Amino acid sequence: MERVVLVTGASSGVGLALCRRLLEEDGRIHLCIACRNVQKSEATRDLILATHPAARVSTVEVDLGNLVSVLRVARELRCRFQRLDFVYLNAGIMPNPHVNFKALWHGLLTGKVLHMLTTAEGIMTQTDRLNGDGLQEVFATNLFGHFILVRQLECLLCGNEKPSRLIWTSSSNARESAFSLSDYQHAKGQESYSSSKYATDLTSVVLNRKFNKQGLYSSVVCPGLVMSNMTYRILPVFLWKLLMPIMWLIRFFAKTYTLTPYNGAEAHVWLFKQKPEHLDALVKYHSCTSGLGKSYVEPRKVNGAAAFCCRGLG
């Protein structure tokens, strides 16, 4: 039987590259792409079919930051499919990013600049806001909307003949220091993206504890630093073009500088080929690229996940 694969945030960047790479791995899958509006969904479908004309590609419209939209698309998917084999929870936003050049300069002087450039720790902030549901926009879009979607699709994900998979797109910017259980929506801070991605890491761990016995397995991946629409909003495009030769050089020292969406999707595709029972629930799988351009996957423990589970918060 064909495998059904749902990908959110499929219209560009890692999401679009992932769709193409999945079809290269298995052209028999039924690929369902989820985008925020009909125009993006149809345009993305046309792009995919241009290179994979025999592929079976369907579309759904969903705004992960709007609960009414999430509940509506869940109903549509339950009517359309009898099961889902893979759900790639990839959609995300980083609104109004700002770079702290003073902190970057300080990192250069103190020898911490490589760490800062690979994690964005201390140099990147965002301005968040409430959405129409009264939730912090970044938290709602990057995590909560996906979480509600998963819970609404349990009947398609659990109890199937073969295990079903959730694969969350996290970030190298996901840091325990940016997250607090007392402010899990990050309403009081300025690193909402980092907080939402670390919360994503923990959510994946907890979902495994709850659903593995029902045949549903969750994994989390980091695409590394990818040049995408989201990245280009951090700095003016002309400045990125000036910096690109330097970034290619940095990749000899920072393997998470995957740079292209194709390379960034390496861990996503690698997990597509693995047996979930053999994976470590406390590990995040990182897409990496060597200085000479060879892509590979590196597993790393999720910071603080074991302690989080030991406290009984799962």
Side-chain angles (χ1 to χ4, degrees), residues 176-238:
E176 184 178 6
S177 60
F179 176 77
S180 170
L181 277 174
S182 62
D183 182 25
Y184 55 85
Q185 293 193 49
H186 206 74
K188 301 175 183 178
Q190 292 186 304
E191 296 184 82
S192 53
Y193 183 79
S194 177
S195 175
S196 71
K197 291 302 183 179
Y198 185 73
T200 294
D201 295 352
L202 297 182
T203 299
S204 178
V205 172
V206 172
L207 286 174
N208 278 312
R209 297 186 69 191
K210 180 175 177 61
F211 289 110
N212 280 179
K213 291 182 179 179
Q214 300 176 54
L216 176 60
Y217 292 81
S218 182
S219 301
V220 64
V221 301
C222 173
L225 178 63
V226 175
M227 302 310 298
S228 65
N229 292 340
M230 184 182 294
T231 314
Y232 282 125
R233 284 197 291 270
I234 299 173
L235 294 171
V237 174
F238 80 90

Side-chain angles (χ1 to χ4, degrees), residues 3-221:
R3 292 185 287 181
V4 182
V5 181
L6 173 68
V7 180
T8 71
S11 62
S12 63
V14 171
L16 179 56
L18 169 62
C19 290
R20 288 169 166 162
R21 291 194 62 176
L22 289 175
L23 288 170
E24 290 171 4
E25 290 292 332
D26 184 359
R28 298 168 298 176
I29 64 172
H30 181 144
L31 179 64
C32 182
I33 55 175
C35 304
R36 275 187 290 185
N37 58 60
V38 174
Q39 291 77 18
K40 279 191 174 183
S41 295
E42 293 302 324
T44 303
R45 183 175 184 271
D46 291 343
L47 280 173
I48 294 170
L49 290 177
T51 52
H52 298 85
R56 187 173 182 186
V57 184
S58 60
T59 66
V60 288
E61 177 188 354
V62 61
D63 178 357
L64 273 303
N66 182 301
L67 290 179
V68 171
S69 178
V70 172
L71 295 175
R72 177 196 54 76
V73 79
R75 289 194 297 271
E76 182 177 344
L77 290 168
R78 290 197 301 267
C79 291
R80 191 185 298 186
F81 299 111
Q82 293 183 331
R83 74 184 191 285
L84 289 172
D85 297 281
F86 287 83
V87 179
Y88 283 91
L89 304 156
N90 173 72
I93 60 171
M94 185 197 298
N96 306 309
H98 304 284
V99 176
N100 186 334
F101 289 100
K102 183 178 179 180
L104 183 59
W105 177 250
H106 182 263
L108 182 62
L109 295 176
T110 58
K112 298 179 180 179
V113 67
L114 186 60
H115 172 76
M116 296 173 76
L117 289 174
T118 53
T119 65
E121 182 174 353
I123 63 172
M124 192 171 67
T125 60
Q126 303 89 44
T127 303
D128 204 356
R129 63 181 182 182
L130 293 178
N131 68 5
D133 296 312
L135 301 171
Q136 294 297 134
E137 185 178 36
V138 175
F139 167 80
T141 304
N142 293 1
L143 175 60
F144 193 62
H146 280 130
F147 177 77
I148 296 299
L149 181 63
V150 169
R151 296 307 302 265
Q152 290 290 311
L153 296 177
E154 284 181 31
C155 61
L156 303 183
L157 293 165
C158 298
N160 296 321
E161 183 179 346
K162 293 183 178 180
S164 291
R165 310 283 300 280
L166 304 175
I167 300 175
W168 303 76
T169 299
S170 182
S171 170
S172 55
N173 188 230
R175 291 182 291 103
E176 184 178 6
S177 60
F179 176 77
S180 170
L181 277 174
S182 62
D183 182 25
Y184 55 85
Q185 293 193 49
H186 206 74
K188 301 175 183 178
Q190 292 186 304
E191 296 184 82
S192 53
Y193 183 79
S194 177
S195 175
S196 71
K197 291 302 183 179
Y198 185 73
T200 294
D201 295 352
L202 297 182
T203 299
S204 178
V205 172
V206 172
L207 286 174
N208 278 312
R209 297 186 69 191
K210 180 175 177 61
F211 289 110
N212 280 179
K213 291 182 179 179
Q214 300 176 54
L216 176 60
Y217 292 81
S218 182
S219 301
V220 64
V221 301

